[in-house]
Amino acid sequence: MTTADSSRRAVLLTVDDDPGVSRAVARDLRRRYGERYRVVRAESGDSALDALKEIKLRGDLVAVILADYRMPEMNGIEFLERAMDIHPGARRILLTAYADTGAAIDAINVVDLDHYLLKPWDPPEEKLYPVLDDLLDAWLSSDHRPVPETKVVGHRWSARSTGVREFLARNQVPYRWYLSDQPEGQRLLAAAGHDGMRLPVVVAPGGEVLVEPSDQDLASQVGLATSPAEEFYDLVVIGAGPAGLGAAVYGASEGLRTVLIERTATGGQAGQSARIENYLGFPDGVSGAQLTDRARRQAGRFGAEMLTACEVTALEVSGPTRTVRFADGSSVAAHSVILTTGVNYRLLDVPGMTEFTGRGVYYGSALTEAAGCEGQDVFIVGGANSAGQAAVYLSRTAKSVTLLVRAPSLEASMSHYLIQQIAAVPTIHVRTGTEVSGVHGSDHLEGLALRDRASGRTELVDCQRMFVFIGAAPRTDWLDGVVRRDDHGFVLTGPDLTAEGRRPPGWEPDRLPYHLETSVPGVFAAGDVRSESAKRVASAVGEGAMAVMLVHRYLEGL
């Protein structure tokens, strides 16, 4: 056992209703073990159980419990029975008088007692410490490691449980996942005082309990910033995908007071990619999570402020000020704004699909579900690069992966290198000219109806996990009436706003819009959200950097 700070030391807990005895036990324990263990004492069974529950929720460990046999309301054996439910790995000692040795011997079978000690135990060097030394050596040799991370207790087919896990994973927050119907999950629920009817239950590292938390509540609890530190900035970047991260890095590194605002998690769709193999400088490929984490840390090192779980609902223009409003009623203002909100996956329009979202149907490559695909037949809907990357990644553990593609081939929508990789994996099957026409199941997805587009024939297949990649659409409705967009909702910029070299309607500056500037001076767009953009990670990063250069030009003209 290593001895880090005291908050992470394992606990020696003693409970005795006699205050004098309680203090004496704690004194002797601290004298020999105080540097390596945290000694906690209680004077009743109920207060000791409360302490054990709090220790459980904090993720700390209990190495040894010493309980007096003769306590009112709850004797030592009854207490140890209940303590076992909370900390089954703790070693158990019963403190008894000579007249109670029979009860102590019986307790060896009832509560799997490790030892009993007769009172008084003087001198402790002969009667107490040798016993504890042996029990601590045995405890240290067992695999009872501390769990200081956030803990999530949920159901395998709970959509919100999946959402919470995805949020934590994509924001690089360490956590442990416990199923609510397994022993450790049940122990955590009991310690938190919940019956498991409402899931997930999230236990923060400090022991705080959240039931079915929103993303914002979750972000606040695990230490992610959700509100701006200042009221006014040089630059607000909305959306933390590759374009937004690129803009934040270059904006902050060039001295602009920069804040990056993200609705869910940094990385966007690229952050969910299992492997990006055509990004410059990574000949062996890089996962979206790795690339995102490096960019996020780089932006932070240059001083960019990052806000998570912030839902942007409006953009307001007042003279030179650009104000961004949030769903909770708060706002932040700046001289300039870069829109890098990217795109959202399109929903598969099949009857009953909504019911199974998060319960077997996942949009994008759900990071937390990969382990659950082991040994299963997995289906992926889509024929573009994101679908191909997911197929190669999931084929490592899945029994089989079937790509369902509406088009007659992959060549028109997928990069050549990915097509070659897929062809080389024997467990990946490609079904072209095929679409999902129906889904079925009880509390989770259990099967699909697949329709052959040429013949019209329908086939029923078993399926518990399906991942959907069928294109994407911008989420820009909140810009209505402020920023001009094309017929598909993508933001128009630069030359797309001008006709025959004329300034767009309502344009006040005595110049044409800069290349990435929108119909509102000082508001720029970069990456996938921009009309006619290349929809590639490298181009998004480049546009983010280029937008910052144009922000400087705009600010110089104020």
Side-chain angles (χ1 to χ4, degrees):
M1 172 94 181
T2 59
T3 55
D5 60 288
S6 61
S7 65
R8 292 270 76 90
R9 289 182 294 173
V11 170
L12 307 180
L13 183 138
T14 173
V15 53
D16 197 306
D17 66 304
D18 185 328
V21 175
S22 178
R23 285 192 294 269
V25 176
R27 178 199 63 215
D28 288 343
L29 293 178
R30 289 192 181 99
R31 186 169 64 190
R32 184 174 181 95
Y33 305 104
E35 291 186 0
R36 293 176 292 154
Y37 297 90
R38 182 160 59 95
V39 177
V40 175
R41 74 181 184 92
E43 294 183 2
S44 73
D46 285 334
S47 62
L49 289 173
D50 289 341
L52 289 173
K53 290 176 182 178
E54 182 178 346
I55 292 166
K56 182 75 173 181
L57 293 176
R58 288 181 177 273
D60 292 335
L61 297 180
V62 177
V64 175
I65 301 172
L66 300 92
D68 183 50
Y69 173 65
R70 292 197 176 189
M71 292 188 294
E73 299 180 2
M74 185 189 305
N75 67 37
I77 296 176
E78 293 168 337
F79 163 75
L80 288 174
E81 275 192 283
R82 296 176 64 178
M84 285 174 63
D85 293 334
I86 306 172
H87 291 275
R91 298 302 191 251
R92 295 171 285 278
I93 298 176
L94 192 67
L95 302 177
T96 69
Y98 183 79
D100 299 322
T101 54
I105 293 172
D106 291 340
I108 292 175
N109 296 321
V110 175
V111 295
D112 194 20
L113 195 68
D114 292 292
H115 205 89
Y116 66 90
L117 286 174
L118 294 175
K119 298 188 293 185
W121 56 83
D122 289 330
E125 289 77 12
E126 294 181 11
K127 298 184 178 180
L128 176 65
Y129 297 153
V131 172
L132 272 171
D133 286 345
D134 287 344
L135 291 181
L136 288 171
D137 285 344
W139 181 81
L140 287 169
S141 66
S142 62
D143 187 20
H144 293 294
R145 291 168 290 182
V147 185
E149 302 97 337
T150 297
K151 293 174 279 294
V152 181
V153 184
H155 190 274
R156 178 182 286 106
W157 301 117
S158 161
R160 185 55 192 151
S161 294
T162 298
V164 165
R165 295 171 65 198
E166 278 289 299
F167 180 87
L168 294 173
R170 293 186 60 195
N171 281 291
Q172 308 290 322
V173 177
Y175 76 93
R176 291 279 185 95
W177 164 245
Y178 301 91
L179 290 171
S180 59
D181 57 357
Q182 292 186 348
E184 187 63 13
Q186 293 174 347
R187 281 191 283 269
L188 282 167
L189 289 174
H194 286 273
D195 57 11
M197 296 300 292
R198 296 173 57 204
L199 295 172
V201 171
V202 178
V203 182
E208 299 84 359
V209 177
L210 303 174
V211 181
E212 295 180 313
S214 66
D215 284 353
Q216 190 164 40
D217 290 340
L218 194 58
S220 298
Q221 196 61 63
V222 299
L224 299 173
T226 58
S227 58
E230 301 180 30
E231 293 183 356
F232 200 89
Y233 294 82
D234 295 317
L235 172 62
V236 170
V237 182
I238 305 174
L245 288 165
V249 167
Y250 282 92
S253 67
E254 294 177 12
L256 297 178
R257 290 173 299 163
T258 302
V259 60
L260 176 62
I261 300 167
E262 171 53 43
R263 183 168 59 101
T264 305
T266 52
Q269 288 190 4
Q272 295 178 279
S273 176
R275 178 69 52 178
I276 302 170
E277 300 199 53
N278 57 354
Y279 191 74
L280 183 67
F282 292 89
D284 299 319
V286 61
S287 74
Q290 289 173 320
L291 189 64
T292 294
D293 180 57
R294 293 181 183 186
R296 179 184 54 79
R297 289 188 285 112
Q298 190 175 18
R301 184 169 66 84
F302 284 123
E305 186 180 335
M306 283 170 277
L307 307 182
T308 306
C310 292
E311 180 86 16
V312 176
T313 58
L315 174 65
E316 297 178 359
V317 179
S318 178
T321 300
R322 309 305 181 237
T323 301
V324 175
R325 299 206 174 273
F326 303 118
D328 64 1
S330 62
S331 63
V332 65
H335 289 302
S336 60
V337 173
I338 300 179
L339 305 172
T340 56
T341 50
V343 290
N344 291 341
Y345 287 109
R346 294 186 189 276
L347 303 183
L348 188 59
D349 187 15
V350 173
M353 185 66 68
T354 302
E355 179 183 347
F356 295 119
T357 300
R359 296 189 292 153
V361 175
Y362 307 97
Y363 287 91
S365 183
L367 300 174
T368 58
E369 293 304 317
C373 295
E374 184 173 358
Q376 291 194 359
D377 296 311
V378 176
F379 289 80
I380 296 175
V381 182
N385 279 6
S386 53
Q389 291 163 351
V392 172
Y393 177 69
L394 293 174
S395 68
R396 299 173 184 174
T397 57
K399 179 182 177 182
S400 71
V401 177
T402 302
L403 270 171
L404 304 175
V405 186
R406 286 170 54 91
S409 71
L410 290 173
E411 276 70 16
S413 57
M414 188 177 293
S415 295
H416 179 65
Y417 80 90
L418 263 178
I419 295 175
Q420 289 182 311
Q421 284 187 13
I422 288 171
V425 180
T427 55
I428 298 179
H429 311 289
V430 180
R431 292 184 57 163
T432 57
T434 304
E435 62 186 6
V436 178
S437 59
V439 295
H440 70 270
S442 53
D443 64 336
H444 66 279
L445 179 69
E446 296 178 15
L448 305 175
L450 304 182
R451 176 179 173 271
D452 185 280
R453 287 168 57 81
S455 66
R457 289 193 299 269
T458 298
E459 175 188 358
L460 300 180
V461 297
D462 293 333
C463 173
Q464 288 194 327
R465 282 180 172 81
M466 177 175 68
F467 299 86
V468 181
F469 303 82
I470 56 170
R475 186 180 163 276
T476 56
D477 291 347
W478 59 279
L479 293 170
D480 275 350
V482 180
V483 173
R484 289 182 60 190
R485 299 169 295 146
D486 65 18
D487 294 338
H488 301 288
F490 292 95
V491 176
L492 295 168
T493 59
D496 292 330
L497 289 167
T498 60
E500 299 178 356
R502 294 193 299 270
R503 289 180 289 174
W507 184 264
E508 295 182 358
D510 188 20
R511 60 173 176 80
L512 294 177
Y514 294 127
H515 183 67
L516 299 179
E517 198 167 18
T518 71
S519 59
V520 177
V523 177
F524 300 80
D528 289 1
V529 75
R530 191 176 68 82
S531 181
E532 302 298 328
S533 63
K535 308 297 187 285
R536 288 290 185 268
V537 175
S539 62
V541 173
E543 286 190 7
M546 182 180 179
V548 171
M549 178 190 72
L550 299 175
V551 164
H552 278 291
R553 288 188 192 175
Y554 169 77
L555 294 178
E556 290 169 359
L558 288 180

